[in-house]
Amino acid sequence: MTVDPGTIPPHALRRVIETALEEDAPWGDVTSETLIPADATATATLTAREPGVLSGGGVFVAVVHAVDPAVVAELHVADGTRFAAGDVLATVTGSARSVLRAERVALNLAQRMSGIATATARYVAAVAGTRARVVDTRKTTPGLRALERYAVRCGGGHNHRTSLSDAVLAKDNHLAVLLAGGISIGDAISAARARLGHTVHVEVEVDRIDQIEPVVAAGVDTIMLDNFTPSELEAGVALVAGRALVEASGGVSLDTVAAIAATGVDVISVGALTHSARALDLGLDIDVAV
């Protein structure tokens, strides 16, 4: 099955590629430029060495074209598609120097993104048949958030807020500051609502059952139940009673996610999708002709 992950913002993709290529060869590729004839051409195949879900196929092509627009790069598998070990995912033909120059950056990004997509697909499969939506967090690699969030979508998952600018999400440290100042969370939410635009989403994290009612009563859109046991989550969902979306967070793994989803929560946020995903094993095999 193929999912439609949407697109990566062009400015974000351009920034990542430019930074990565400059980092990898700030003054050119001294190896290829001294060993490989300028007129040598190459055909390279991007091949899967293990099964998974593809993400970053378009990024792979974009890296190649950023190095040399004349290189022909053809994708054989769409992002969001499952593949088997041995499948050829893309083919690249053109200047051997250009292909070698692009190889590492293109592979690094495609491997990282496909690893995230593959891990996400496992979580999504584990909660199938429930109402729970698997979402990522802000625990992303600095500078790569747009790509990693896209990879989550390729795996059938969904995105949480993109950045601190997108929504109000009061977590434990925010609440500690409020408490130290003698401000109740209810008063804080009411004051925030008066200042915010009507489209801004408000979410609050709690870590105890007794915190749920005052937070929901204050009019939040989502309440995050952090590190609750499955039985506590079930009780929390019943207490919220549809007055807000219920998000489960903390202690989520492939071993626990199905039980968490079965409690009736609406959202399960999983930091491991991005901070712990292993890069998938993809290879670029090059045949050089002089």
Side-chain angles (χ1 to χ4, degrees):
M1 182 183 72
T2 302
V3 301
D4 180 5
T7 60
I8 301 170
H11 69 281
L13 178 58
R14 183 169 56 251
R15 183 170 59 244
V16 168
I17 292 175
E18 288 175 352
T19 300
L21 289 173
E22 181 181 5
E23 175 184 63
D24 200 42
W27 304 287
D29 177 1
V30 66
T31 305
S32 295
E33 290 166 13
T34 55
L35 295 181
I36 305 299
D39 59 351
T41 59
T43 295
T45 54
L46 178 64
T47 305
R49 293 175 178 162
E50 61 178 315
V53 176
L54 184 65
S55 181
V59 174
F60 179 91
V61 171
V63 171
V64 172
H65 286 164
V67 170
D68 185 350
V71 173
V72 176
E74 181 182 4
L75 282 177
H76 304 302
V77 175
D79 280 351
T81 303
R82 294 184 180 274
F83 55 79
D87 285 356
V88 174
L89 308 177
T91 305
V92 179
T93 303
S95 163
R97 287 185 178 181
S98 297
V99 173
L100 290 165
R101 167 74 177 82
E103 175 186 13
R104 187 70 272 155
V105 170
L107 268 179
N108 283 351
L109 294 174
Q111 288 178 308
R112 171 71 179 158
M113 295 173 68
S114 294
I116 291 170
T118 302
T120 302
R122 294 189 181 112
Y123 278 87
V124 171
V127 305
T130 72
R131 65 188 298 169
R133 169 180 286 199
V134 173
V135 306
D136 53 21
T137 71
R138 286 171 44 244
K139 296 176 182 177
T140 53
T141 307
L144 296 183
R145 182 170 296 172
L147 274 62
E148 293 181 348
R149 287 167 57 84
Y150 171 83
V152 167
R153 299 196 301 272
C154 286
H158 298 268
N159 300 141
H160 213 295
R161 58 176 178 163
T162 300
S163 69
L164 292 172
S165 302
D166 295 324
V168 171
L169 175 44
K171 305 192 77 174
D172 53 354
N173 288 334
H174 300 96
L175 300 184
V177 172
L178 290 173
L179 182 62
I183 305 171
S184 73
I185 184 59
D187 289 343
I189 293 172
S190 296
R193 285 290 194 195
R195 294 193 303 271
L196 294 169
H198 68 282
T199 62
V200 179
H201 194 93
V202 176
E203 178 171 1
V204 175
E205 174 191 83
V206 301
D207 55 19
R208 300 193 317 271
I209 288 282
D210 64 287
Q211 296 173 313
I212 292 176
E213 184 55 39
V215 166
V216 174
V220 296
D221 300 297
T222 300
I223 184 165
M224 179 191 295
L225 309 185
D226 187 46
N227 284 305
F228 279 45
T229 66
S231 60
E232 289 171 337
L233 286 172
E234 203 167 330
V237 169
L239 186 57
V240 173
R243 291 175 291 167
L245 293 175
V246 180
E247 175 180 341
S249 180
V252 183
S253 69
L254 273 175
D255 293 330
T256 63
V257 71
I260 292 171
T263 66
V265 297
D266 301 289
V267 177
I268 303 174
S269 52
V270 188
L273 298 182
T274 53
H275 72 57
S276 296
R278 176 181 63 82
L280 214 66
D281 191 2
L282 309 177
L284 190 66
D285 302 314
I286 298 179
D287 180 22
V288 179
V290 180

